[in-house]
Amino acid sequence: MTLTSPFLLAIVAITVLALIGQPIGLAMLVGSIFYLVLAGADLGTVAEQFLNGMYSNFVILAVPLFILAAELMNSGSLTERLLRFCNALVGRFRGGLAQVNVLQSVIFAGMSGSAIADAAGSGKMMQHMMTKDGRYPPSFAAALTAASAVIGPIIPPSIPMVLYALVSDASIGFLFLGGVVPGIMMGAAQSAIIATTARRRKFPVEPPVPLRQIPRITWDSLPALMMPVVLMVGIYGGVTTPTEAAAVAACYALVISVLLYRSISLRSLYASLLTSARTTASIGMLIAGALVFNYVVTIENIPDSIRVLLTDWNLNQIGFLIFVNVLLLVLGCVLEGTAILLVIVPVFIPTAQALGIDMVHFGVVVVVNTMLGLITPPYGMLLFIVGKTSGAPLRHIVRDTMPFLIAMLAVLVLITFVPDLVLWLPRLLGYQG
């Protein structure tokens, strides 16, 4: 590959466009078209790859439907009821509100599949509750909200896992199951950090909810708590595909909010649809750019070249996983997670398969990696989101995020080297990998 090769010039074009602030999806589209022009290829290929990728894959439809389900939950009162339920369970302990933040993320993970939806919805409410009357420093509340939101796309359902399934042909259902244990481990690790920090920094103890009120609060929250059950029974009972389950989730959230809780108006419904459409369009542009750029990568035979290079290094499974983990963690500091899943990860899939690495295990490791990138400086999209809502200086948020990030990195190491932590539950329900 020379300095004037079409592929290298296309990479330069993508990098320059991204650095000047253009959306990465648009940058990949422009760079790919630039490559095809320089290589003398048919420009109609761009449209062909876009149409084949976007309209021939039923899996992609799950993305906007899960986004809509999360928006409807935020517009209705489902999220608030879940917060009251979590507070009744763990709010009575020292640092209880911080523990509520983690628990609601674990529960809300079963609803939206999106870290950003968690941080922008229930996470925003948690920040307000934690900082009210100066109970917690704004930087700690923001850091915890960002860190706990990372759990969302690891416990099913998960939009990043849907995208990984798109590029790897792995089973979405078993990927969802593979994320349960790692997600719970991450929640437990964050709770342990909170318990230690709460004693050292003397965080407040919230007034305990009387035990006689817990049954009523639980009953009030039960319809919202049943959503993950409805999703999992539908998928693993063979009643629905994951995409159909996403449609059921959106419909369930709408019906519960309108008919049972009567907490959503036509105005808020329209706002939810509009926000979902904008988010979907943004992700759709990224998917379109990635599909076309992946075609360029295939033409250049990059996956095979990398496979040969890694073979020359004589890497075994462990060495390869260490290499991928380190690379993705570094890339996560500067790239958006969806771009990594759609552009970088497909390059490594042939090598992983050749080394006999299970695609479900590899997928969960990759998704955890990309989610950690959301709270890793300097890019850390979630850090910017919670920083905007909290008003705390970014450096203080980064400082308070570090203990949580280190704890989650420890979980990543465990699931990388002990695949059974990921594969135990899928195998229990019939996975043959």
Side-chain angles (χ1 to χ4, degrees), residues 186-246:
M186 292 177 74
Q190 291 183 14
S191 292
I193 295 292
I194 291 169
T196 303
T197 306
R199 286 194 296 270
R200 188 181 73 251
R201 299 176 65 171
K202 296 184 174 17
F203 287 154
V205 177
E206 303 302 315
V209 175
L211 292 178
R212 65 179 181 276
Q213 293 185 16
I214 293 180
R216 180 183 59 79
I217 294 173
T218 303
W219 177 256
D220 194 40
S221 306
L222 188 61
L225 292 169
M226 285 299 294
M227 184 185 283
V229 178
V230 171
L231 286 175
M232 296 300 105
V233 170
I235 293 174
Y236 303 114
V239 180
T240 64
T241 66
T243 301
E244 291 165 346

Side-chain angles (χ1 to χ4, degrees), residues 269-319:
L269 175 61
Y270 174 76
S272 296
L273 293 171
L274 190 61
T275 302
S276 300
R278 287 172 175 165
T279 306
T280 300
S282 175
I283 295 177
M285 176 63 77
L286 191 52
I287 294 174
L291 289 171
V292 178
F293 183 71
N294 285 340
Y295 173 73
V296 171
V297 168
T298 302
I299 292 177
E300 287 289 316
N301 210 25
I302 301 299
D304 283 343
S305 299
I306 290 179
R307 181 176 54 80
V308 170
L309 176 63
L310 295 177
T311 301
D312 291 341
W313 290 356
N314 293 319
L315 293 178
N316 56 16
Q317 287 188 5
I318 297 299

Side-chain angles (χ1 to χ4, degrees), residues 5-24:
S5 69
F7 184 72
L8 187 58
L9 292 175
I11 294 295
V12 171
I14 293 172
T15 303
V16 170
L17 288 171
L19 289 176
I20 63 176
Q22 295 302 309
I24 187 66

Side-chain angles (χ1 to χ4, degrees), residues 356-374:
I357 296 173
D358 184 88
M359 284 293 97
V360 170
H361 173 235
F362 187 65
V364 173
V365 170
V366 162
V367 168
V368 171
N369 249 303
T370 56
M371 292 305 99
L372 292 182
L374 291 172

